[in-house]
Amino acid sequence: MTGLSGRAFLLMIVLAASSAWAASPTTANAGSRPAGVPQNYLITPFGYFHPSCVREVADGARLMDVDAPPACASRAHFDAQGKAAAATGPATKAPRAANSLPAINGWVEDSELVATSPYAGISASWQVPAAPANRGGQVVYFFPGLQDSNNVQSILQPVLGWNAFGDQAWTIASWNCCRVGAANYSTPRKVSSGDLIAGRVWHDCAAGAATCGSWNVETRDVTQNTLTTLSHTSNYGQSFNWVFGGVLEVYGVANCQNYPADGAISFRSIQLLDINEQVISSPVSLAWSANVLRQGGGCNYHAAASAAATALSY
């Protein structure tokens, strides 16, 4: 372990938040959504959800103080392949089925590891890629995140998205999904290609706590000096031992030109906190795996994970 404390690692910097606007996630495209997904459902980093169950949480609000819509616990939502998902957990990551729609929906590449003990936080940085050369109705997400491998209830993630809010632009937002069938996100901020993004997830409890009921997710544009934070959000009893260093997830990608034009992204300075809120100083010893969940189509799919970095190409 290094001598850095978790509090130093997770120092909150209060930044301007001038680029917020009222926005809803992109509606499922009729030409690419799987059969069975209703037309009015929204695309999220967790699959397709009814509009009433996808909620923006304003800056400064405590998500634990925001009641979930009662109907969401019984209202169907769907994973990226159109399979009805349990209301108590996020859509699963899975390769696209061979007989599914031509459009790619779901996780494409990632780096991940599963530990025997939980983490108290993760941070990473990456640059906003170029816009896609072919700008259709596709949605492209990049993020790191935390989840519980033994009790999947939700996933906490700082997210960069292309067309995530039906805007044909890059945005950042912080997400917690999908307890009682609800997907929650912080106020979106617009960002630009080339901007440096810093994302982090951390808990509010004292050092040494094996589980903590209050977590924060921050996505920050370092270049523009703006951030968006999901504050004091619940872990729903989970112990976050499953970590993702970098993920590419897409909806409605029909060809390689639907991906960002520069063809690659790198998540750097990936740091994990142990339960004592200390930065783990030897990530090279951790069993990171790099996975390509989508093959073929002529795209340059490749994933690599090293000590503190993840490289994805597409």
Side-chain angles (χ1 to χ4, degrees):
M1 307 300 172
T2 69
L4 294 175
S5 71
R7 296 186 185 280
F9 167 72
L10 298 170
L11 178 63
M12 175 66 77
I13 302 175
V14 178
L15 299 173
S18 58
S19 57
W21 82 105
S24 295
T26 303
T27 303
N29 185 291
S32 61
R33 70 177 186 273
V37 175
Q39 185 173 353
N40 67 329
Y41 269 47
L42 302 179
I43 296 172
T44 77
F46 325 98
Y48 303 92
F49 283 74
H50 189 274
S52 67
C53 300
V54 183
R55 305 172 302 158
E56 178 181 334
V57 179
D59 287 343
R62 295 171 58 94
L63 179 55
M64 292 190 298
D65 296 337
V66 179
D67 293 331
C72 294
S74 58
R75 195 184 297 276
H77 67 275
F78 303 87
D79 69 11
Q81 281 67 51
K83 180 181 177 182
T88 55
T92 57
K93 68 162 195 157
R96 171 176 167 260
N99 60 352
S100 64
L101 290 168
I104 303 169
N105 298 311
W107 287 38
V108 178
E109 302 169 319
D110 72 13
S111 70
E112 62 182 281
L113 64 86
V114 177
T116 56
S117 58
Y119 297 102
I122 182 176
S123 69
S125 62
W126 63 100
Q127 281 190 296
V128 181
N134 187 334
R135 305 182 187 186
Q138 79 272 26
V139 175
V140 180
Y141 296 116
F142 295 103
F143 55 86
L146 288 179
Q147 196 168 317
D148 186 336
S149 66
N150 301 306
N151 178 29
V152 177
Q153 297 289 316
S154 66
I155 180 171
L156 305 183
Q157 51 201 149
V159 178
L160 168 69
W162 167 262
N163 196 37
F165 296 92
D167 46 16
Q168 295 289 305
W170 288 108
T171 55
I172 53 173
S174 300
W175 288 80
N176 182 357
C177 182
C178 310
R179 180 69 173 177
V180 296
N184 303 290
Y185 63 94
S186 63
T187 302
R189 314 285 179 198
K190 290 187 177 181
V191 299
S192 300
S193 296
D195 287 0
L196 178 64
I197 305 301
R200 58 196 181 114
V201 180
W202 74 99
H203 70 53
D204 292 329
C205 296
T211 60
C212 179
S214 179
W215 289 72
N216 304 289
V217 186
E218 177 188 278
T219 317
R220 178 159 51 104
D221 186 320
V222 178
T223 305
Q224 295 191 30
N225 200 36
T226 60
L227 62 79
T228 176
T229 304
L230 197 62
S231 301
H232 307 291
T233 183
S234 178
N235 71 332
Y236 304 114
Q238 297 177 107
S239 179
F240 292 123
N241 69 321
W242 192 5
V243 60
F244 299 96
V247 178
L248 164 62
E249 180 182 4
V250 302
Y251 291 84
V253 165
N255 54 63
C256 302
Q257 287 69 44
N258 284 159
Y259 289 115
D262 36 17
I265 193 169
S266 294
F267 293 82
R268 302 183 182 277
S269 304
I270 299 171
Q271 291 187 321
L272 301 174
L273 292 181
D274 64 19
I275 62 171
N276 293 314
E277 300 184 351
Q278 297 292 313
V279 176
I280 298 174
S281 61
S282 300
V284 69
S285 66
L286 300 174
W288 285 99
S289 64
N291 307 294
V292 176
L293 304 169
R294 162 72 184 178
Q295 300 289 346
C299 303
N300 184 33
Y301 295 123
H302 182 72
S306 59
T310 290
L312 305 176
S313 58
Y314 33 83

